[in-house]
Amino acid sequence: MFEKVNSKVVKVNVGQAGGVVARSGAMLFYTGQVAFAPHQIPGAGQGMGGGGLMRMAGQMMAGEHERTMLAQGNGEVHYGFAGLEVHVVQMQPGAVLRAEASRLLAQSAGLQASVVSVASSGGGGGGGGGLMGALRGAAAGVATGQGMFTTQLSGQGSAVLLAHGGFLELQVGGPNPIVVDPQAFVAAYGNVQTELKSAMSWRDAVGRGAGEAMQLHCHGQGVVYVQASEEKL
């Protein structure tokens, strides 16, 4: 569906793709008869019921969502964003792609999309959903610079990821987990579970140690995409 024009631009036939959802401001130019309308991923921008902490979690959830536009019609659209590198992921039935909204350029409109808590996605890190999952996700987000929520895609189609400085594609499935700097993490595809662990010792806590404070451990079966930079998009 999506075809790379170069390392920073993709093009897609909107009619053949059955519609395209892309982040606002990503459309570069198009030919043919294409209409654009605001779009919202299910679960994004919706507040949580209850008071206090639940309301705060709902507001943070809404803040993590990137504004998106739905393109429909018959024509070809070129997409790119901020000169960032792009990578096309061909989705297979049964597989799941999880990425921060800021790492997603575009996806087939037919993919099932939802916004889930970082703490509960992939079954890793514990905490589950609801308030506790949201609060654990909030703590992880503050500690690592990542968002509290992540976008989850499934179904048949394709999606386009964004990265600063290029992509590294790491296979997950060996006896040892792939350990990633959370700020370099782009996405996980397949049946990949992630667990955020502290790498701090007492020396780090008092400012006398070195090394990364938090590490993302990835295990299971699939692929982890990492950018060649720690710059937050």
Side-chain angles (χ1 to χ4, degrees), residues 18 29 52 73 101 118 137 212 230:
F29 65 92
V118 169
E212 305 296 344
E230 293 184 0

Side-chain angles (χ1 to χ4, degrees), residues 89 96-100 103-104 146 150-151 161-162 167-168 170 172 180 184-189 192 194 216 218 223-227:
V89 178
V96 172
L97 177 69
R98 297 183 183 90
E100 275 196 80
R103 311 285 189 178
L104 280 170
Q146 281 193 303
T150 186
T151 300
L161 301 173
L162 290 169
F167 285 86
L168 295 173
L170 310 177
V172 179
V180 178
F185 177 81
V186 174
Y189 174 72
V192 178
T194 58
L216 193 65
C218 307
V223 176
V224 168
Y225 297 97
V226 176
Q227 67 175 13

Side-chain angles (χ1 to χ4, degrees), residues 1-2 17-19 21 39 41-42 89-92 95 97 104 106-114 152-160:
M1 294 181 182
F2 292 97
V21 175
H39 174 271
I41 294 175
V89 178
Q90 301 293 341
M91 300 287 293
Q92 300 297 326
L97 177 69
L104 280 170
Q107 73 247 22
S108 308
L111 290 176
Q112 288 77 54
S114 60
Q152 178 173 289
L153 301 176
S154 60
Q156 198 155 6
S158 55
V160 184

Side-chain angles (χ1 to χ4, degrees), residues 13-21 30-39 69-77 79 109-110:
N13 186 304
V14 173
Q16 292 179 2
V20 172
V21 175
Y30 70 91
T31 57
Q33 302 298 316
V34 182
F36 299 87
H39 174 271
M69 300 289 290
L70 172 64
Q72 293 178 303
N74 290 291
E76 187 174 74
V77 183
Y79 290 105

Side-chain angles (χ1 to χ4, degrees), residues 11 14-16 20 26 31 44 61 79 94 102 106 127 129-130 136 142 144-145 193 195 197 200 217-218:
K11 65 180 181 179
V14 173
Q16 292 179 2
V20 172
T31 57
M61 183 176 185
Y79 290 105
S102 63
R136 286 176 184 271
V142 170
T144 65
Q193 293 81 46
E195 183 180 3
K197 294 186 177 183
M200 291 183 65
H217 289 236
C218 307

Side-chain angles (χ1 to χ4, degrees), residues 3-11 78 86:
E3 179 183 344
K4 287 182 68 173
V5 176
N6 55 40
S7 64
K8 299 178 180 180
V9 178
V10 296
K11 65 180 181 179
H78 285 65
V86 296

Side-chain angles (χ1 to χ4, degrees), residues 48 53-54 57 60-61 116-121 124-141 147-150:
M48 292 183 178
L53 295 175
M54 289 295 283
M60 293 180 70
M61 183 176 185
V116 298
S117 168
V118 169
S120 62
S121 65
L131 177 59
M132 290 309 298
L135 293 178
R136 286 176 184 271
M148 173 181 171
F149 292 89
T150 186

